[in-house]
Amino acid sequence: MKRETREITLVIDGREIAATEGAMLVDAARHGDVEIPVFCYEPKLGQPVGACRMCLVEIEGIPKLQTACSTPVRDGMVVYTQTDQVKEAQNAVVEFLLVNHPLDCPVCDKGGECPLQDISIGWGPGNSRFIEGKRHFEKPLPLSPLVAIDRERCIMCYRCVRFSQEISEDAQLQLLERGDRTYVGTFDERPYIAPFHGNITELCPVGALTSYTYRFRARPWDIEQAGSVCTLCPSQCNVRFTIRDEKVKRVLARDNPEVDDGWLCDRGRYGFEMFGADERITAPMIREGDGFRVASWPEAIERAASGLRTAGSETAALVGDASNEEGYLVQRIIREALGGGDIDSRPGGGADRNLNMRLSDPAISARVADIDTADVVLVLGVDPIHSAPILDLRVRKAVRRSGTLLAIATDRPSALDGGATAVARSHPRHTAAMIEEIRNGTGDGAEIAALLEDAEDIVVIWGERVAREGRAVESLLGLAADLKLSEGERSGLIGVPELANGRGLREVGCLPDAAPGLGETGKGPGRDTGAIREALIADQLKALILFGSDPLRDAPDSSGWEEALTQVGFTVAFSMFGDASTARADVVFPLETFAEKEGTVTHMEGRLQRVRPSAKRPGDVRPGWQILAEISASLGDETGISSAPDALLAVADSVSFYAGLTAEEIGGRGIRWQDRTAAESLPASTGVGVTDGHSEHPKSTPAPDPGGALRLGTFRDLWANEVTELNPALRFLTQQQRLEIAPVDAERLGISQGEEVEVGQNGNSVKARVVLRERQLPGVVFLIEGTLEGNANELVHGPARTVEIRKAEGH
């Protein structure tokens, strides 16, 4: 039962203010344009702790001063913030905070952005009675490889510790010692390494916590702030870029409660340093012999158009890191300029057009914010910490604050397992079977089924990777029907795509069997990623467009793609960096980063958001939409697109449920297309192939292989990508291949933690370090996809999914 709220009225300093009953006094005052100073209070951290005492106020009828941050408002309350008693208390708090605070303001990175400075001037006594020497510590101390701590600046507001304890729940930060010797640190002075720990620098109200990536890089008076959207993962968090000399110097959170709750993962916060990597491509290039030469834009565009014109309809395209406008133009080149139909934006394939229409139904589409109030959240076939990290924090918040029950159904142990009420493990590629067990209330799915049975609001977070598995999506839609998700206002599905803009690319037509708006292609289905690879090898396709896509690294069957890229006659690659696939291209065009790009992307919940240019493009980089429009024109298809707004207009005209959409309507917070009247134009599915009734599937945990063979599962690690490898600040997180294995299997094979082994299948093998996982199913091992060396995609091809493991030579 959700608590109902009502509006009340209170009086602050003689001013009548309307507020929501139960809101904290400091928030109610702010909405009434009355400022009450705070240090420790931060609504994103949950319930207030009243630690700093800076927000003391006088409340009529209560003899002692009260902390405004922890006092809920009530109807008729009368509050005073300017009395002599209040001013004396506030002066005293500031005076005591400054007793040992160093005079670092001229060199402190927080100088000019520091709440302590502002509050000292606005609410402090103006001078100090203390003449004794200040306390000093060694400074700065490395709290982590990315964050430094100046302990003598710390005012013990607890914000950073509360984030570690209550938001990310990694519990690494602690308050050590007691009394005046208390300080923030980690157990045994171990480095604080966690996916979200960069948030503590932004939370710190003084200069105690600073980032090594920004320390001494700029001052507030010589920077500009610019808002945009991070496109490094499907979370699509809203960000603020700190710009100096037209370059990004820092990334901060731009609070959007509907999307990111005001947090950033460390990949989004620190990934900006790759923008200036030496590997960055800054001009068009044409192959010459065994290498490349820089070419002019007209020459490169004509060379690309000529090669594509020769191949004609026998041209395919793979789309990866692209905006909606860029994806739309790529598919237009394939379908209209060249007359083909082979295009995909899913590295491992996925659901067909009919199922995608069913999944897009607004009636079963949940908002990310619905997680906050759900009775039950089911996480199915995905570990958010690796796929969409901010969802991990959102789920933890719901469990901790709202009493939401959490159910996990995955093949690999999840970071969320510890807070789950029910956990079920399936073998790799047995997700459909697991879903059927949940639907039937049998086997490993029985406990989850019991949780779902009486729940009112249910949100199912599912990984779209499971769509690679036959009938998994049909079973998911059947589960949605069983749970009547379409009838719940705050219930539904949230699909986590494999690519940052995976949903948007599907909706603008980057699918083999669907035109923009999930409409019919008119020519029948084209080839998906796997079929494109096979057709290239068989010489059935003559040319390939790679737009922000590196199939050698990201798609299953690396060896097959090696052969395909060698076999293809002509390749045009659009890339930021010189990756392995780009190295085999005939023409290479540079791409913008998300700090330089103008366009739109579509969030996993269907929210269109604007990506805005904030930094200067290096070298001779041009907008992606512009290059594609010129290539299209050279091929005889004049798009009429000459600006980014024109490109958005073309997308809105082509996608029926985006109809009439403008940049102004999207605004700074985005808009869900399901909430617009145009959503009614979503094409209706036929319902064919959807199991509304229960169906038979093999068990989710099949019997062990009698020969002792181990089933292979793969996953994409948050740090296994070029963002980590090309970024000096993050390079220490570069992932080496690891073999995750149950202790019982390791014992049987005679291998131990940290030992190097070779994992083989069908003549291919990769080297990996052994990692024992207590909660992993016996008979199953996992490898990481996308590592620079020993990529698990080398082993992911064909029907076989068992592997052999032996000790590496010399061990």
Side-chain angles (χ1 to χ4, degrees), residues 774-788:
E774 293 288 344
R775 291 180 283 116
Q776 188 158 303
L777 282 178
V780 174
V781 295
F782 285 93
L783 293 171
I784 307 172
E785 295 179 7
T787 54
L788 198 58

Side-chain angles (χ1 to χ4, degrees), residues 185 429 497 578 689:
R429 304 182 77 195

Side-chain angles (χ1 to χ4, degrees), residues 328-460:
Y328 164 76
L329 285 167
V330 173
Q331 68 83 34
R332 178 164 174 163
I333 288 174
I334 292 294
R335 291 193 167 104
E336 298 186 27
L338 298 174
D342 301 320
I343 181 172
D344 206 353
S345 56
R346 305 158 304 174
D352 62 25
R353 172 177 174 265
N354 183 60
L355 293 176
N356 275 312
M357 288 189 290
R358 286 291 299 267
L359 291 168
S360 300
D361 183 356
I364 61 169
S365 298
R367 299 170 175 82
V368 167
D370 291 335
I371 296 171
D372 297 346
T373 56
D375 296 316
V376 178
V377 170
L378 170 60
V379 178
L380 181 67
V382 64
D383 185 354
I385 198 73
H386 291 297
S387 301
I390 295 302
L391 282 185
D392 179 276
L393 297 186
R394 199 99 194 200
V395 172
R396 292 176 188 274
K397 170 187 170 184
V399 172
R400 177 181 287 271
R401 298 189 195 175
S402 304
T404 298
L405 300 179
L406 175 60
I408 306 288
T410 58
D411 54 4
R412 180 177 173 270
S414 162
L416 291 170
D417 285 358
T421 303
V423 177
R425 286 279 100 83
S426 65
H427 277 227
R429 304 182 77 195
H430 280 68
T431 306
M434 173 59 72
I435 297 173
E436 291 302 323
E437 289 184 1
I438 294 172
R439 296 180 68 190
N440 293 311
T442 60
D444 294 328
E447 190 177 1
I448 293 178
L451 286 183
L452 298 172
E453 186 175 4
D454 299 322
E456 181 179 342
D457 295 328
I458 301 171
V459 174
V460 180

Side-chain angles (χ1 to χ4, degrees), residues 241-258:
F241 293 118
T242 295
I243 306 296
R244 184 188 184 195
D245 297 333
E246 299 183 309
K247 295 181 180 179
V248 177
K249 297 297 182 181
R250 178 176 60 174
V251 178
L252 301 173
R254 180 169 61 90
D255 290 11
N256 189 343
E258 298 295 314

Side-chain angles (χ1 to χ4, degrees), residues 93-353:
V93 171
V94 172
E95 187 175 19
F96 277 109
L97 286 177
L98 296 178
V99 167
N100 282 305
H101 197 83
L103 299 176
D104 284 350
C105 297
V107 296
C108 177
D109 281 286
K110 200 75 171 182
E113 300 175 326
C114 180
L116 180 58
Q117 286 181 328
D118 298 336
I119 291 174
S120 296
I121 295 171
W123 288 271
N127 54 62
S128 175
R129 292 170 291 169
F130 290 88
I131 60 174
E132 290 78 13
K134 293 178 180 288
R135 184 169 54 181
H136 295 283
F137 297 94
E138 181 184 349
K139 57 183 290 188
L141 294 173
L143 190 64
S144 82
L146 295 167
V147 175
I149 183 168
D150 290 81
R151 285 179 176 155
E152 58 194 34
R153 297 178 186 168
C154 180
I155 62 171
M156 289 297 148
C157 67
Y158 304 164
R159 283 187 177 195
C160 57
V161 175
R162 291 182 63 203
F163 177 84
S164 176
Q165 300 285 336
E166 302 175 28
I167 304 300
S168 62
E169 297 183 350
D170 56 63
Q172 294 187 55
L173 278 191
Q174 310 281 342
L175 288 176
L176 304 174
E177 301 296 342
R178 292 182 179 274
D180 67 327
R181 299 190 179 190
T182 303
Y183 67 93
V184 173
T186 59
F187 175 74
D188 203 23
E189 297 187 352
R190 295 176 181 175
Y192 182 21
I193 297 177
F196 307 102
H197 87 295
N199 288 286
I200 64 176
T201 61
E202 196 166 343
L203 284 170
C204 183
V206 293
L209 295 169
T210 53
S211 167
Y212 283 117
T213 61
Y214 186 65
R215 237 175 124 83
F216 307 128
R217 299 282 182 92
R219 301 312 303 264
W221 49 85
D222 62 10
I223 62 174
E224 297 177 90
Q225 302 287 351
S228 190
V229 173
C230 173
T231 62
L232 295 181
C233 85
S235 296
Q236 290 187 9
C237 298
N238 289 212
V239 297
R240 284 186 296 131
F241 293 118
T242 295
I243 306 296
R244 184 188 184 195
D245 297 333
E246 299 183 309
K247 295 181 180 179
V248 177
K249 297 297 182 181
R250 178 176 60 174
V251 178
L252 301 173
R254 180 169 61 90
D255 290 11
N256 189 343
E258 298 295 314
V259 174
D260 49 48
D261 235 5
W263 305 120
L264 291 178
C265 76
D266 288 349
R267 179 168 157 185
R269 185 176 295 276
Y270 299 114
F272 70 90
E273 288 203 336
M274 72 167 181
F275 297 168
D278 292 339
E279 293 83 354
R280 182 81 189 270
I281 299 172
T282 58
M285 298 186 296
I286 292 177
R287 177 168 295 283
E288 194 170 84
D290 294 332
F292 291 95
R293 65 172 175 84
V294 174
S296 68
W297 279 101
E299 181 187 10
I301 288 171
E302 179 51 39
R303 178 71 183 91
S306 175
L308 297 175
R309 189 183 300 113
T310 300
S313 61
E314 296 180 330
T315 301
L318 298 180
V319 187
D321 182 9
S323 66
N324 292 333
E325 292 79 3
E326 291 165 338
Y328 164 76
L329 285 167
V330 173
Q331 68 83 34
R332 178 164 174 163
I333 288 174
I334 292 294
R335 291 193 167 104
E336 298 186 27
L338 298 174
D342 301 320
I343 181 172
D344 206 353
S345 56
R346 305 158 304 174
D352 62 25
R353 172 177 174 265

